[in-house]
Amino acid sequence: MRKSTKLIAGLSVVAGLGVALAPLSTFAVVPTRTDNLYINNTEACTINGVALDSSQEASSFTNVENNYDWAYSPGQEHDFTRRTSGTGGSENEGVFQIVCNYTTGYKIVANATNPTDGSHDIEAGTTGDEYWAARIVSKTGNIVPATGITVGTNFAITSANQPVLVNTGSSAADPGDSFSMTYAAKTSESTPAGTYEGSVAYTLVKGAN
């Protein structure tokens, strides 16, 4: 009787294990929860650290002023000298720093007023006896010169909203895109003596095209 009792007890243990294992096969397929994340990243653009309103289609380089001086004898081309102090002068504002995430890119356009003394204008150009010209000194990031313009070569600003530099997508990673400009002029013996004043206004326009 003792042997049979032990056998029955052993079977009851095996049966007990079978009951314990059964639920594992029931949950072979584990339910899955998925969290979907949606990010709506708004458009943003800053110029020299000044943020533009997202609704703006274009913005001039506000709070950025550079004064350039030229005082040479007639007959040869000379570069302007940018002021780094005093009225219209800053050590930092010679470089335009741009950070934009526009997927359609952006372009920098220029509108120029020829230097004049009130009665005589010095026209934009790159050759001849009398002219003034613009030049891209340097650029970094994803911005490139517009068609017909190369870094380090004089070009004339002769039309309204003339493209100077273009970026077909977002700016490069921090610190973004940048560019700097300079100017050159030449006068002739027949250019009237006097003080001539002109300007070039740069504007960032949303969209590369």
Side-chain angles (χ1 to χ4, degrees), residues 126-169:
T126 56
T127 60
D129 293 331
E130 175 189 285
Y131 58 85
W132 74 273
R135 185 167 73 247
I136 300 172
V137 177
S138 63
K139 62 91 183 174
T140 65
N142 296 336
I143 199 170
V144 298
T147 302
I149 299 176
T150 58
V151 175
T153 302
N154 288 348
F155 67 94
I157 302 173
T158 56
S159 60
N161 295 317
Q162 179 172 322
V164 176
L165 297 111
V166 178
N167 183 340
T168 58

mmCIF file of all heavy atoms in Angstrom, residues 126-169:
data_model
loop_
_atom_site.group_PDB
_atom_site.id
_atom_site.type_symbol
_atom_site.label_atom_id
_atom_site.label_comp_id
_atom_site.label_asym_id
_atom_site.label_seq_id
_atom_site.Cartn_x
_atom_site.Cartn_y
_atom_site.Cartn_z
ATOM 1 N N THR A 126 31.392 97.061 -64.252
ATOM 2 C CA THR A 126 32.650 96.390 -63.899
ATOM 3 C C THR A 126 33.806 96.834 -64.801
ATOM 4 O O THR A 126 34.955 96.477 -64.536
ATOM 5 C CB THR A 126 32.509 94.858 -64.002
ATOM 6 O OG1 THR A 126 32.075 94.505 -65.321
ATOM 7 C CG2 THR A 126 31.487 94.339 -62.996
ATOM 8 N N THR A 127 33.516 97.571 -65.856
ATOM 9 C CA THR A 127 34.556 98.064 -66.758
ATOM 10 C C THR A 127 34.231 99.488 -67.180
ATOM 11 O O THR A 127 33.106 99.955 -67.017
ATOM 12 C CB THR A 127 34.668 97.176 -68.017
ATOM 13 O OG1 THR A 127 33.408 97.186 -68.714
ATOM 14 C CG2 THR A 127 35.053 95.748 -67.672
ATOM 15 N N GLY A 128 35.233 100.148 -67.722
ATOM 16 C CA GLY A 128 35.033 101.507 -68.210
ATOM 17 C C GLY A 128 35.820 102.513 -67.394
ATOM 18 O O GLY A 128 36.622 102.163 -66.524
ATOM 19 N N ASP A 129 35.589 103.791 -67.678
ATOM 20 C CA ASP A 129 36.322 104.859 -66.998
ATOM 21 C C ASP A 129 35.724 105.204 -65.638
ATOM 22 O O ASP A 129 36.403 105.784 -64.785
ATOM 23 C CB ASP A 129 36.334 106.120 -67.882
ATOM 24 C CG ASP A 129 37.136 105.929 -69.156
ATOM 25 O OD1 ASP A 129 38.080 105.121 -69.130
ATOM 26 O OD2 ASP A 129 36.800 106.582 -70.167
ATOM 27 N N GLU A 130 34.436 104.876 -65.452
ATOM 28 C CA GLU A 130 33.757 105.258 -64.214
ATOM 29 C C GLU A 130 32.691 104.226 -63.879
ATOM 30 O O GLU A 130 31.835 103.914 -64.703
ATOM 31 C CB GLU A 130 33.124 106.638 -64.401
ATOM 32 C CG GLU A 130 32.284 107.107 -63.235
ATOM 33 C CD GLU A 130 31.523 108.372 -63.562
ATOM 34 O OE1 GLU A 130 32.170 109.450 -63.593
ATOM 35 O OE2 GLU A 130 30.302 108.290 -63.810
ATOM 36 N N TYR A 131 32.735 103.665 -62.672
ATOM 37 C CA TYR A 131 31.742 102.673 -62.264
ATOM 38 C C TYR A 131 31.914 102.345 -60.780
ATOM 39 O O TYR A 131 32.918 102.703 -60.161
ATOM 40 C CB TYR A 131 31.877 101.379 -63.079
ATOM 41 C CG TYR A 131 33.238 100.723 -62.982
ATOM 42 C CD1 TYR A 131 33.558 99.849 -61.933
ATOM 43 C CD2 TYR A 131 34.226 100.987 -63.933
ATOM 44 C CE1 TYR A 131 34.809 99.279 -61.840
ATOM 45 C CE2 TYR A 131 35.482 100.408 -63.849
ATOM 46 C CZ TYR A 131 35.767 99.559 -62.799
ATOM 47 O OH TYR A 131 37.018 98.994 -62.699
ATOM 48 N N TRP A 132 30.927 101.659 -60.247
ATOM 49 C CA TRP A 132 31.054 101.031 -58.930
ATOM 50 C C TRP A 132 30.561 99.593 -59.069
ATOM 51 O O TRP A 132 29.718 99.294 -59.920
ATOM 52 C CB TRP A 132 30.267 101.779 -57.851
ATOM 53 C CG TRP A 132 28.788 101.590 -57.922
ATOM 54 C CD1 TRP A 132 27.900 102.305 -58.661
ATOM 55 C CD2 TRP A 132 28.029 100.584 -57.227
ATOM 56 N NE1 TRP A 132 26.624 101.820 -58.500
ATOM 57 C CE2 TRP A 132 26.674 100.764 -57.617
ATOM 58 C CE3 TRP A 132 28.341 99.569 -56.338
ATOM 59 C CZ2 TRP A 132 25.644 99.954 -57.132
ATOM 60 C CZ3 TRP A 132 27.321 98.763 -55.860
ATOM 61 C CH2 TRP A 132 25.988 98.958 -56.245
ATOM 62 N N ALA A 133 31.083 98.691 -58.274
ATOM 63 C CA ALA A 133 30.743 97.269 -58.391
ATOM 64 C C ALA A 133 30.679 96.620 -57.014
ATOM 65 O O ALA A 133 31.280 97.104 -56.048
ATOM 66 C CB ALA A 133 31.764 96.538 -59.260
ATOM 67 N N ALA A 134 29.931 95.528 -56.933
ATOM 68 C CA ALA A 134 29.837 94.730 -55.702
ATOM 69 C C ALA A 134 30.653 93.460 -55.856
ATOM 70 O O ALA A 134 30.959 93.032 -56.982
ATOM 71 C CB ALA A 134 28.381 94.397 -55.402
ATOM 72 N N ARG A 135 30.983 92.830 -54.737
ATOM 73 C CA ARG A 135 31.756 91.583 -54.780
ATOM 74 C C ARG A 135 31.484 90.759 -53.537
ATOM 75 O O ARG A 135 31.479 91.290 -52.424
ATOM 76 C CB ARG A 135 33.246 91.895 -54.893
ATOM 77 C CG ARG A 135 34.130 90.655 -55.076
ATOM 78 C CD ARG A 135 35.535 91.021 -55.495
ATOM 79 N NE ARG A 135 36.326 91.613 -54.428
ATOM 80 C CZ ARG A 135 36.753 92.879 -54.398
ATOM 81 N NH1 ARG A 135 36.443 93.714 -55.371
ATOM 82 N NH2 ARG A 135 37.485 93.314 -53.395
ATOM 83 N N ILE A 136 31.229 89.471 -53.722
ATOM 84 C CA ILE A 136 31.104 88.552 -52.590
ATOM 85 C C ILE A 136 32.510 88.198 -52.123
ATOM 86 O O ILE A 136 33.309 87.660 -52.889
ATOM 87 C CB ILE A 136 30.343 87.270 -52.979
ATOM 88 C CG1 ILE A 136 28.928 87.609 -53.463
ATOM 89 C CG2 ILE A 136 30.267 86.305 -51.798
ATOM 90 C CD1 ILE A 136 28.188 86.411 -54.042
ATOM 91 N N VAL A 137 32.802 88.503 -50.870
ATOM 92 C CA VAL A 137 34.132 88.215 -50.336
ATOM 93 C C VAL A 137 34.234 86.758 -49.915
ATOM 94 O O VAL A 137 35.219 86.070 -50.213
ATOM 95 C CB VAL A 137 34.435 89.133 -49.137
ATOM 96 C CG1 VAL A 137 35.794 88.775 -48.521
ATOM 97 C CG2 VAL A 137 34.402 90.583 -49.554
ATOM 98 N N SER A 138 33.204 86.273 -49.211
ATOM 99 C CA SER A 138 33.227 84.895 -48.719
ATOM 100 C C SER A 138 31.810 84.411 -48.494
ATOM 101 O O SER A 138 30.873 85.208 -48.371
ATOM 102 C CB SER A 138 34.026 84.795 -47.411
ATOM 103 O OG SER A 138 33.390 85.564 -46.395
ATOM 104 N N LYS A 139 31.656 83.099 -48.437
ATOM 105 C CA LYS A 139 30.358 82.490 -48.108
ATOM 106 C C LYS A 139 30.619 81.121 -47.504
ATOM 107 O O LYS A 139 31.599 80.453 -47.824
ATOM 108 C CB LYS A 139 29.445 82.426 -49.331
ATOM 109 C CG LYS A 139 29.957 81.567 -50.488
ATOM 110 C CD LYS A 139 29.473 80.138 -50.375
ATOM 111 C CE LYS A 139 30.021 79.241 -51.452
ATOM 112 N NZ LYS A 139 29.638 77.825 -51.232
ATOM 113 N N THR A 140 29.731 80.708 -46.591
ATOM 114 C CA THR A 140 29.848 79.393 -45.966
ATOM 115 C C THR A 140 28.475 78.738 -45.914
ATOM 116 O O THR A 140 27.451 79.391 -46.103
ATOM 117 C CB THR A 140 30.395 79.496 -44.528
ATOM 118 O OG1 THR A 140 29.440 80.202 -43.714
ATOM 119 C CG2 THR A 140 31.726 80.215 -44.487
ATOM 120 N N GLY A 141 28.460 77.448 -45.636
ATOM 121 C CA GLY A 141 27.192 76.740 -45.502
ATOM 122 C C GLY A 141 26.630 76.307 -46.836
ATOM 123 O O GLY A 141 27.371 76.003 -47.773
ATOM 124 N N ASN A 142 25.301 76.327 -46.950
ATOM 125 C CA ASN A 142 24.624 75.819 -48.143
ATOM 126 C C ASN A 142 24.246 76.907 -49.135
ATOM 127 O O ASN A 142 23.583 76.634 -50.130
ATOM 128 C CB ASN A 142 23.351 75.064 -47.731
ATOM 129 C CG ASN A 142 23.660 73.836 -46.906
ATOM 130 O OD1 ASN A 142 24.752 73.275 -46.967
ATOM 131 N ND2 ASN A 142 22.701 73.417 -46.087
ATOM 132 N N ILE A 143 24.662 78.122 -48.882
ATOM 133 C CA ILE A 143 24.340 79.231 -49.765
ATOM 134 C C ILE A 143 25.394 79.329 -50.867
ATOM 135 O O ILE A 143 26.577 79.104 -50.625
ATOM 136 C CB ILE A 143 24.244 80.550 -48.962
ATOM 137 C CG1 ILE A 143 23.481 81.612 -49.743
ATOM 138 C CG2 ILE A 143 25.607 81.038 -48.524
ATOM 139 C CD1 ILE A 143 23.146 82.827 -48.914
ATOM 140 N N VAL A 144 24.937 79.640 -52.085
ATOM 141 C CA VAL A 144 25.853 79.729 -53.234
ATOM 142 C C VAL A 144 25.548 80.999 -54.010
ATOM 143 O O VAL A 144 24.431 81.530 -53.952
ATOM 144 C CB VAL A 144 25.732 78.504 -54.162
ATOM 145 C CG1 VAL A 144 26.117 77.226 -53.430
ATOM 146 C CG2 VAL A 144 24.318 78.396 -54.725
ATOM 147 N N PRO A 145 26.520 81.515 -54.772
ATOM 148 C CA PRO A 145 26.260 82.706 -55.576
ATOM 149 C C PRO A 145 25.165 82.445 -56.615
ATOM 150 O O PRO A 145 25.019 81.329 -57.124
ATOM 151 C CB PRO A 145 27.603 82.977 -56.251
ATOM 152 C CG PRO A 145 28.614 82.323 -55.367
ATOM 153 C CD PRO A 145 27.930 81.099 -54.841
ATOM 154 N N ALA A 146 24.410 83.478 -56.924
ATOM 155 C CA ALA A 146 23.378 83.371 -57.950
ATOM 156 C C ALA A 146 24.030 83.213 -59.315
ATOM 157 O O ALA A 146 25.238 83.449 -59.492
ATOM 158 C CB ALA A 146 22.496 84.611 -57.922
ATOM 159 N N THR A 147 23.236 82.811 -60.288
ATOM 160 C CA THR A 147 23.729 82.597 -61.644
ATOM 161 C C THR A 147 24.449 83.835 -62.163
ATOM 162 O O THR A 147 23.948 84.961 -62.063
ATOM 163 C CB THR A 147 22.565 82.256 -62.584
ATOM 164 O OG1 THR A 147 21.895 81.092 -62.095
ATOM 165 C CG2 THR A 147 23.066 81.994 -63.995
ATOM 166 N N GLY A 148 25.647 83.623 -62.701
ATOM 167 C CA GLY A 148 26.421 84.725 -63.259
ATOM 168 C C GLY A 148 27.328 85.429 -62.279
ATOM 169 O O GLY A 148 28.055 86.344 -62.663
ATOM 170 N N ILE A 149 27.295 85.008 -61.013
ATOM 171 C CA ILE A 149 28.122 85.636 -59.987
ATOM 172 C C ILE A 149 29.061 84.598 -59.394
ATOM 173 O O ILE A 149 28.665 83.452 -59.163
ATOM 174 C CB ILE A 149 27.241 86.243 -58.871
ATOM 175 C CG1 ILE A 149 26.319 87.319 -59.448
ATOM 176 C CG2 ILE A 149 28.098 86.827 -57.755
ATOM 177 C CD1 ILE A 149 25.347 87.894 -58.440
ATOM 178 N N THR A 150 30.299 84.989 -59.143
ATOM 179 C CA THR A 150 31.267 84.107 -58.500
ATOM 180 C C THR A 150 31.906 84.836 -57.327
ATOM 181 O O THR A 150 32.013 86.072 -57.319
ATOM 182 C CB THR A 150 32.375 83.651 -59.470
ATOM 183 O OG1 THR A 150 33.038 84.814 -60.003
ATOM 184 C CG2 THR A 150 31.796 82.831 -60.607
ATOM 185 N N VAL A 151 32.316 84.072 -56.329
ATOM 186 C CA VAL A 151 32.983 84.648 -55.166
ATOM 187 C C VAL A 151 34.308 85.269 -55.605
ATOM 188 O O VAL A 151 35.074 84.671 -56.350
ATOM 189 C CB VAL A 151 33.234 83.576 -54.083
ATOM 190 C CG1 VAL A 151 34.038 84.147 -52.922
ATOM 191 C CG2 VAL A 151 31.913 83.014 -53.580
ATOM 192 N N GLY A 152 34.549 86.493 -55.156
ATOM 193 C CA GLY A 152 35.821 87.150 -55.446
ATOM 194 C C GLY A 152 35.869 87.912 -56.745
ATOM 195 O O GLY A 152 36.919 88.478 -57.084
ATOM 196 N N THR A 153 34.757 87.968 -57.482
ATOM 197 C CA THR A 153 34.716 88.668 -58.773
ATOM 198 C C THR A 153 33.673 89.778 -58.735
ATOM 199 O O THR A 153 32.550 89.566 -58.268
ATOM 200 C CB THR A 153 34.378 87.694 -59.909
ATOM 201 O OG1 THR A 153 35.355 86.643 -59.939
ATOM 202 C CG2 THR A 153 34.383 88.397 -61.256
ATOM 203 N N ASN A 154 34.036 90.950 -59.230
ATOM 204 C CA ASN A 154 33.114 92.082 -59.241
ATOM 205 C C ASN A 154 31.894 91.795 -60.112
ATOM 206 O O ASN A 154 32.000 91.134 -61.154
ATOM 207 C CB ASN A 154 33.802 93.340 -59.769
ATOM 208 C CG ASN A 154 34.814 93.907 -58.791
ATOM 209 O OD1 ASN A 154 34.870 93.515 -57.629
ATOM 210 N ND2 ASN A 154 35.629 94.847 -59.256
ATOM 211 N N PHE A 155 30.747 92.293 -59.692
ATOM 212 C CA PHE A 155 29.545 92.226 -60.511
ATOM 213 C C PHE A 155 28.733 93.501 -60.292
ATOM 214 O O PHE A 155 28.899 94.206 -59.286
ATOM 215 C CB PHE A 155 28.711 90.986 -60.176
ATOM 216 C CG PHE A 155 28.099 90.986 -58.801
ATOM 217 C CD1 PHE A 155 26.806 91.441 -58.591
ATOM 218 C CD2 PHE A 155 28.819 90.528 -57.702
ATOM 219 C CE1 PHE A 155 26.243 91.437 -57.322
ATOM 220 C CE2 PHE A 155 28.267 90.532 -56.430
ATOM 221 C CZ PHE A 155 26.977 90.986 -56.239
ATOM 222 N N ALA A 156 27.861 93.796 -61.230
ATOM 223 C CA ALA A 156 27.062 95.018 -61.168
ATOM 224 C C ALA A 156 25.644 94.707 -60.720
ATOM 225 O O ALA A 156 25.051 93.719 -61.163
ATOM 226 C CB ALA A 156 27.043 95.702 -62.535
ATOM 227 N N ILE A 157 25.108 95.527 -59.855
ATOM 228 C CA ILE A 157 23.710 95.422 -59.425
ATOM 229 C C ILE A 157 22.934 96.450 -60.234
ATOM 230 O O ILE A 157 22.989 97.652 -59.960
ATOM 231 C CB ILE A 157 23.560 95.671 -57.921
ATOM 232 C CG1 ILE A 157 24.410 94.666 -57.125
ATOM 233 C CG2 ILE A 157 22.097 95.564 -57.499
ATOM 234 C CD1 ILE A 157 24.452 94.936 -55.638
ATOM 235 N N THR A 158 22.219 95.979 -61.234
ATOM 236 C CA THR A 158 21.583 96.883 -62.185
ATOM 237 C C THR A 158 20.072 96.745 -62.264
ATOM 238 O O THR A 158 19.425 97.508 -62.977
ATOM 239 C CB THR A 158 22.161 96.646 -63.593
ATOM 240 O OG1 THR A 158 21.985 95.266 -63.951
ATOM 241 C CG2 THR A 158 23.651 96.972 -63.630
ATOM 242 N N SER A 159 19.496 95.775 -61.548
ATOM 243 C CA SER A 159 18.050 95.572 -61.624
ATOM 244 C C SER A 159 17.453 95.465 -60.232
ATOM 245 O O SER A 159 18.162 95.190 -59.260
ATOM 246 C CB SER A 159 17.719 94.318 -62.434
ATOM 247 O OG SER A 159 18.294 93.168 -61.831
ATOM 248 N N ALA A 160 16.150 95.670 -60.145
ATOM 249 C CA ALA A 160 15.458 95.571 -58.865
ATOM 250 C C ALA A 160 15.389 94.120 -58.416
ATOM 251 O O ALA A 160 15.213 93.213 -59.235
ATOM 252 C CB ALA A 160 14.046 96.147 -58.984
ATOM 253 N N ASN A 161 15.548 93.900 -57.117
ATOM 254 C CA ASN A 161 15.496 92.550 -56.532
ATOM 255 C C ASN A 161 16.404 91.571 -57.275
ATOM 256 O O ASN A 161 16.021 90.450 -57.589
ATOM 257 C CB ASN A 161 14.058 92.034 -56.517
ATOM 258 C CG ASN A 161 13.158 92.852 -55.620
ATOM 259 O OD1 ASN A 161 13.536 93.224 -54.514
ATOM 260 N ND2 ASN A 161 11.963 93.160 -56.103
ATOM 261 N N GLN A 162 17.610 92.009 -57.539
ATOM 262 C CA GLN A 162 18.562 91.170 -58.263
ATOM 263 C C GLN A 162 19.115 90.088 -57.338
ATOM 264 O O GLN A 162 19.688 90.386 -56.295
ATOM 265 C CB GLN A 162 19.714 92.024 -58.799
ATOM 266 C CG GLN A 162 20.768 91.233 -59.556
ATOM 267 C CD GLN A 162 21.783 92.149 -60.222
ATOM 268 O OE1 GLN A 162 21.441 93.203 -60.737
ATOM 269 N NE2 GLN A 162 23.044 91.747 -60.202
ATOM 270 N N PRO A 163 18.963 88.798 -57.692
ATOM 271 C CA PRO A 163 19.498 87.723 -56.848
ATOM 272 C C PRO A 163 21.016 87.802 -56.739
ATOM 273 O O PRO A 163 21.714 88.014 -57.738
ATOM 274 C CB PRO A 163 19.061 86.448 -57.590
ATOM 275 C CG PRO A 163 17.892 86.869 -58.413
ATOM 276 C CD PRO A 163 18.201 88.270 -58.842
ATOM 277 N N VAL A 164 21.505 87.643 -55.516
ATOM 278 C CA VAL A 164 22.946 87.667 -55.271
ATOM 279 C C VAL A 164 23.431 86.300 -54.791
ATOM 280 O O VAL A 164 24.447 85.793 -55.261
ATOM 281 C CB VAL A 164 23.302 88.753 -54.243
ATOM 282 C CG1 VAL A 164 24.794 88.726 -53.912
ATOM 283 C CG2 VAL A 164 22.902 90.129 -54.765
ATOM 284 N N LEU A 165 22.699 85.706 -53.840
ATOM 285 C CA LEU A 165 23.025 84.369 -53.347
ATOM 286 C C LEU A 165 21.747 83.570 -53.203
ATOM 287 O O LEU A 165 20.669 84.137 -52.991
ATOM 288 C CB LEU A 165 23.755 84.430 -52.011
ATOM 289 C CG LEU A 165 25.123 85.118 -52.010
ATOM 290 C CD1 LEU A 165 25.048 86.420 -51.238
ATOM 291 C CD2 LEU A 165 26.206 84.224 -51.425
ATOM 292 N N VAL A 166 21.883 82.239 -53.300
ATOM 293 C CA VAL A 166 20.713 81.357 -53.278
ATOM 294 C C VAL A 166 21.006 80.123 -52.432
ATOM 295 O O VAL A 166 22.119 79.594 -52.446
ATOM 296 C CB VAL A 166 20.321 80.919 -54.710
ATOM 297 C CG1 VAL A 166 19.131 79.971 -54.679
ATOM 298 C CG2 VAL A 166 20.021 82.122 -55.582
ATOM 299 N N ASN A 167 19.986 79.678 -51.692
ATOM 300 C CA ASN A 167 20.041 78.401 -50.980
ATOM 301 C C ASN A 167 18.794 77.623 -51.363
ATOM 302 O O ASN A 167 17.683 78.095 -51.168
ATOM 303 C CB ASN A 167 20.076 78.624 -49.467
ATOM 304 C CG ASN A 167 20.217 77.329 -48.685
ATOM 305 O OD1 ASN A 167 19.933 76.251 -49.194
ATOM 306 N ND2 ASN A 167 20.625 77.431 -47.437
ATOM 307 N N THR A 168 18.955 76.435 -51.940
ATOM 308 C CA THR A 168 17.810 75.664 -52.431
ATOM 309 C C THR A 168 17.129 74.837 -51.345
ATOM 310 O O THR A 168 16.125 74.186 -51.608
ATOM 311 C CB THR A 168 18.249 74.728 -53.572
ATOM 312 O OG1 THR A 168 19.281 73.847 -53.096
ATOM 313 C CG2 THR A 168 18.774 75.524 -54.753
ATOM 314 N N GLY A 169 17.660 74.839 -50.128
ATOM 315 C CA GLY A 169 17.048 74.086 -49.028
ATOM 316 C C GLY A 169 17.294 74.770 -47.707
ATOM 317 O O GLY A 169 17.459 75.989 -47.651
#
